[in-house]
Amino acid sequence: MGLLRQVEYMTEKTAMTRMSATDTLWLDMETPQTPMTLGGVFLIDPRSGGPNARQPDQVFDYIEQRLHRVPLLRQKLVRSRTGLAEPLLVQDEDFDLAFHVRRLALSKPGNLEQLKNLVSRLISSSVDMARPPWELYVIEGLDEEPGIPPGAYAILTKFHHSVFDGGSVGAILWEFMQDHPDQKVDPAPREGQISSDDTTSDWLTLPMQAGLDQWMATIKGLNSVGQLVSTAAGRKMASPTVPEEDTAAGNALLAPATRLSAKVTANRVCDFVAVPMDELRDMRNALGKPKVNDLWLAIVAGGLRHYLLAHDSLPERPLMSLCPISVREGHPLDGGNYLSGMRVTLATDIADPIERLAAISRSSAAAKDLAKDLGTSFVENLLGLQPYFVRSQMAKVVATLPERFNLAMPSPANVIVSNAPPPKGGHYFAGGKALTTFAFGPLLEGCGVLHSITGFDFESTVAVTSCREILPDMEFYMDCIRRSVADLKAAGASARA
């Protein structure tokens, strides 16, 4: 009867959402060395917003007044007692905003370098999974940085990837942004809030339901495997649209080993480079208007080439990138992971920036076509081939192999490049002007350098997340990224002349 009462209580008091196979992968792959968190940092100038701008000690009230716009932020994870089915997200009846919103201060002098060091420490660990899995830090004391007004402060947000993907994080953050400093919050709850299709019987008959769900998932998974084989065979037989040298480079199962292939540790380091949107637009026009994502891949590729050449460790084979693709069809504020991905060559074996960009564009187009052919549910269906309790244990074993045996895991990609274009507007937070923003995300074993591209409609930023053992000279690597931007600008100017 105790279990029955608990089930009835949870059903009456909360909405329940079953986590997907993709969601739980981020949960089960987490280790102390690879916290599966993502988020962003905003620099805010409260003096630029006029009399209604909030000071750092008023941010808590600002968040509290807008929390109803994102019901997901009040939900926590609850695991099945049997362990046979995926965990559920339920309303946290003991939700305490004070646990999630915290204030910190930089010591004197209070500059950007100190802020980046603090952010690196804060993202080196995960969040409390017994509560709704997110945190927000108000960081004061940024008073001695040239170009940043005294009194500016930072907002650091941290979310767990099992509940929030990049698209949902971006949508959530923009719910708390303002288009002008006096913009008021809509008091009405957002339409289409999270609802549950689970009932009391889901808890009472969980093993049977899990078995039925698994049969359906297996059918879908087998269909996806067949689709993959058919698509691969069809592409091999078709007339090639990609030069042979590009195809050969992309067909190698594993990416070439480099000094960046070391084992991931928990000692995070992050930094960013900002490029004005007008400058990026002029560069793109001069280079023949490549896709924005391809241009950023070329910027990253040039930075990596400069960095590895300086360390006398550029491999003959080109480095490979893993690029997440959003396949979400519903509302991003409902959370969850709706992701696919594509593997794109970075053509780091090509010295000329324009030729490198062209090779990247060809590879990217082919990868997008493959992802389109496989469909939006391919990853989810493939993961669903195994019952949850089996794939959960397998994921945990694989995730702990590097630490247990001191291994550097091979990987199909060398780096991750995630591009999340921001919505227009959103230039203010709590009445203060947003000066810049940069993002961070999780690292994967064998792929320990992440490039997160985001920004505002007036500026684009590329932020790099890694660990100190892989990138001990992060500042030099950021100089290499800047040099790559300059290379492409010069190449574009030459091509236009």
Side-chain angles (χ1 to χ4, degrees):
M1 289 299 292
L3 175 60
L4 179 58
R5 284 195 298 271
Q6 182 180 5
V7 169
E8 291 175 340
Y9 173 81
M10 293 184 70
T11 305
E12 291 172 1
K13 298 287 186 179
T14 69
M16 297 189 297
T17 304
R18 190 187 303 276
M19 298 180 76
S20 71
T22 312
D23 296 338
T24 59
L25 183 65
W26 294 103
L27 192 65
D28 295 326
M29 288 289 288
E30 183 170 66
T31 69
Q33 291 72 40
T34 55
M36 295 299 174
T37 56
L38 72 164
V41 177
F42 294 81
L43 299 190
I44 308 297
D45 176 19
R47 299 184 182 184
S48 62
N52 292 325
R54 312 269 185 118
Q55 296 303 311
D57 61 346
Q58 298 173 306
V59 169
F60 182 94
D61 293 337
Y62 177 83
I63 297 295
E64 189 173 39
Q65 292 167 4
R66 288 160 172 74
L67 199 63
H68 66 280
R69 300 291 296 169
V70 191
L72 183 62
L73 295 180
R74 291 179 174 269
Q75 294 208 333
K76 67 178 181 179
L77 181 148
V78 176
R79 297 181 183 272
S80 161
R81 288 177 179 268
T82 63
L84 295 177
E86 289 85 354
L88 301 176
L89 287 174
V90 304
Q91 189 80 3
D92 183 3
E93 298 300 324
D94 299 316
F95 180 81
D96 181 3
L97 185 61
F99 174 83
H100 298 273
V101 179
R102 308 170 181 183
R103 288 177 65 192
L104 297 173
L106 300 175
S107 59
K108 295 295 183 181
N111 55 39
L112 194 56
E113 190 64 28
Q114 289 175 273
L115 175 65
K116 289 185 289 189
N117 288 337
L118 177 58
V119 169
S120 297
R121 287 196 294 272
L122 291 173
I123 67 175
S124 293
S125 58
S126 190
V127 295
D128 186 348
M129 298 304 290
R131 299 173 182 266
W134 65 276
E135 298 169 358
L136 184 149
Y137 294 85
V138 183
I139 304 173
E140 303 173 56
L142 192 60
D143 297 325
E144 298 292 337
E145 179 66 32
I148 296 179
Y153 63 92
I155 296 292
L156 164 64
T157 58
K158 188 163 71 166
F159 301 85
H160 200 277
H161 215 316
S162 63
V163 180
F164 310 89
D165 65 6
S168 60
V169 166
I172 288 169
L173 293 178
W174 247 251
E175 281 293 312
F176 292 93
M177 301 301 287
Q178 303 164 295
D179 289 333
H180 55 81
D182 299 324
Q183 183 176 350
K184 304 299 182 183
V185 64
D186 187 344
R190 180 180 65 82
E191 293 183 3
Q193 291 182 1
I194 298 172
S195 60
S196 170
D197 52 10
D198 292 281
T199 65
T200 304
S201 62
D202 287 321
W203 285 84
L204 297 176
T205 63
L206 195 56
M208 290 184 291
Q209 184 65 45
L212 178 60
D213 290 346
Q214 184 54 49
W215 273 107
M216 297 302 296
T218 300
I219 293 172
K220 292 179 180 178
L222 290 172
N223 180 64
S224 290
V225 171
Q227 185 180 5
L228 174 62
V229 173
S230 174
T231 299
R235 286 182 174 276
K236 191 170 183 180
M237 294 175 63
S239 299
T241 58
V242 178
E244 184 177 348
E245 60 270 20
D246 291 355
T247 305
N251 282 343
L253 183 60
L254 297 176
T258 72
R259 61 183 285 116
L260 305 177
S261 305
K263 187 179 68 171
V264 174
T265 74
N267 301 319
R268 289 292 172 271
V269 60
C270 67
D271 205 340
F272 71 100
V273 169
V275 181
M277 197 60 73
D278 289 344
E279 184 178 322
L280 196 66
R281 191 179 298 112
D282 290 346
M283 185 195 315
R284 180 170 173 257
N285 289 337
L287 291 168
K289 293 189 176 180
K291 300 287 186 183
V292 174
N293 192 65
D294 295 346
L295 180 57
W296 271 114
L297 285 170
I299 290 172
V300 170
L304 287 166
R305 179 179 168 87
H306 283 309
Y307 180 81
L308 293 174
L309 280 173
H311 287 286
D312 195 26
S313 58
L314 180 69
E316 293 184 4
R317 285 172 49 209
L319 271 64
M320 303 298 297
S321 65
L322 176 63
C323 304
I325 301 174
S326 175
V327 294
R328 184 182 297 275
E329 296 176 348
H331 201 295
L333 290 180
D334 289 338
N337 286 268
Y338 296 85
L339 296 172
S340 182
M342 61 181 188
R343 184 172 176 254
V344 180
T345 180
L346 292 176
T348 48
D349 56 327
I350 300 175
D352 183 83
I354 293 182
E355 292 180 13
R356 190 186 313 127
L357 172 59
I360 289 170
S361 296
R362 292 192 298 266
S363 176
S364 176
K368 287 176 184 175
D369 288 344
L370 177 59
K372 183 178 179 181
D373 289 346
L374 292 177
T376 60
S377 58
F378 174 76
V379 174
E380 178 72 15
N381 292 343
L382 199 62
L383 289 172
L385 271 172
Q386 294 289 339
Y388 169 68
F389 69 91
V390 174
R391 68 172 183 270
S392 174
Q393 293 304 313
M394 290 175 61
K396 291 174 182 176
V397 168
V398 171
T400 56
L401 282 176
E403 186 66 19
R404 187 181 303 173
F405 298 103
N406 195 29
L407 295 174
M409 297 292 285
S411 172
N414 299 97
V415 299
I416 306 169
V417 182
S418 175
N419 188 357
K424 291 184 178 180
H427 296 173
Y428 293 86
F429 175 89
K433 175 72 173 176
L435 303 175
T436 191
T437 182
F438 62 94
F440 66 88
L443 305 180
L444 305 177
E445 288 292 351
C447 212
V449 182
L450 166 69
H451 302 77
S452 303
I453 298 155
T454 184
F456 290 104
D457 52 13
F458 59 85
E459 177 186 81
S460 192
T461 59
V462 54
V464 178
T465 308
S466 188
C467 59
R468 297 185 185 278
E469 289 75 9
I470 291 177
L471 269 180
D473 48 356
M474 174 66 87
E475 186 175 348
F476 173 66
Y477 180 57
M478 303 316 292
D479 287 339
C480 292
I481 294 287
R482 295 183 185 94
R483 184 177 172 187
S484 178
V485 172
D487 289 345
L488 284 163
K489 286 175 63 177
S494 260
R496 179 178 280 180

